[in-house]
Amino acid sequence: MSFFKSDTPLDVVKHLAAIAALVALLVLGFFYVYLPFTTNHGETIVVPKITGMNQEALEDYLDERNLAYFVDDSSYDASVRPGTVLTQEPRPGDRVKEGRKIYIAVAMKNPPVIKMPKLTEGSVKNAQMILKSYDLNVGQIQLVPDPAQNAVLKQLVNGKEIAPGAPIAKGTKVDLQVGDGLGNQEFPVPNVVNMPADEAATLLAGQGLLLGATFYQAPEEGQTEGTVVRQRPVSAPGATIRTGQLVDLWVAGEAPIKEVK
C-alpha cells in the first residue's frame, strides 16, 4: 500500500519539499547552532608574545587568557636568565582556540655537561672550530716556544690542563697553548766546543735547541776523539739564537757504526 496512494501528484511534491526543507533545517541547525554552541566554533584568541618572560609568571598570565603552555625544549645561554622563555609556537599574533597549549623552550639554570674534546696535535684554527661545535668558548691563546707552529700543545681550564674525555660544562672557556714556530725567546748562542758530543746534544736540548747535522772529521793535534771541535752558529759575543733553531756540530773522530737489525 503506497504512502501517497490517496494523494495527488501535487500533494506528493509538497510532501517531498516539506521533507527536504526539514532536512536542510536540521543540517543548518547542526552546523550553525549546535556545533558553535558545543565547540565555541568561530571564537579564537590572539596568541600573546611570551618570549622573554619568566616561566614562573606564565601560568597566571596565560590562564587569564584561556591558554596554557607546555615546555618541550630547553637550552643553556650564559647571557640569559634561567627560566626565560626563548621560543614559542604558535607565534605571537596567531589566532587559536581557547585552551590551546603554547609550546615553549626555556633557558636552563645549569649548563649541560659534556666530554672535553681532544684539541692537541691539531692546529689552533681546527681547535677553535671544535670548541665552537661543542658550545665551548675559546679563552686565551698563549704562544710558547716550539717548532710546531700554530699547533695546539696544551688545553687548559682555569690554568690547569684538562684531558680529552674529562667532564666539562658547556660555555666553559678553554685556554690554548700554541707553538710559535721557532720560539720567541732569544738568548746567547751556547758554546759546546770541546764538550763530548753526547753532552753537547743534551745541553742543546735542555735549552730548547735542536741538533742539526753532525759531521765527523779526523782529529787534529790536541783534539780529543768524540768531542765537538766546531759548531754552527758560532758562539761569539753578541751572537743570539732562538728556541727551536738548529745547531750543527763537527765532531773529532769517526762516525759510530750503526747496528744492522
Side-chain angles (χ1 to χ4, degrees), residues 201 204 209-215 232-233 244-250:
L204 293 175
L209 299 172
L210 301 178
L211 181 61
T214 302
F215 306 97
R232 182 174 60 197
Q245 284 189 306
L246 298 173
V247 178
D248 299 328
L249 302 178
W250 281 257

Side-chain angles (χ1 to χ4, degrees), residues 67 80 114 141 211 247:
L67 295 170
V80 178
I114 58 174
I141 297 178
L211 181 61
V247 178

Side-chain angles (χ1 to χ4, degrees), residues 145 180 182-190 207-209 238-245:
D180 65 357
L182 290 176
N184 53 13
Q185 297 180 357
E186 286 193 0
F187 51 91
V189 178
Q207 296 194 10
L209 299 172
T240 59
I241 193 170
R242 289 189 299 175
T243 304
Q245 284 189 306

Side-chain angles (χ1 to χ4, degrees), residues 131-147:
L131 289 175
K132 184 177 180 180
S133 68
Y134 277 74
D135 290 331
L136 296 169
N137 295 322
V138 180
Q140 294 182 344
I141 297 178
Q142 179 187 3
L143 294 178
V144 296
D146 194 275

Side-chain angles (χ1 to χ4, degrees), residues 17 34 68 94 188 202 222-223 227 235:
Y34 176 76
D94 288 352
T202 301
Q223 294 178 343
T227 60
S235 177

Side-chain angles (χ1 to χ4, degrees), residues 116-128 130-131 141-142 144 146 148-156 174-180:
M116 177 67 195
K118 182 178 181 181
L119 307 176
T120 54
E121 300 180 8
S123 69
V124 63
K125 184 177 181 181
N126 185 58
Q128 291 172 316
I130 293 175
L131 289 175
I141 297 178
Q142 179 187 3
V144 296
D146 194 275
Q149 188 174 19
N150 293 326
V152 177
L153 307 176
K154 291 182 180 181
Q155 51 193 44
L156 309 100
V174 179
D175 301 324
L176 304 174
Q177 281 192 1
V178 180
D180 65 357

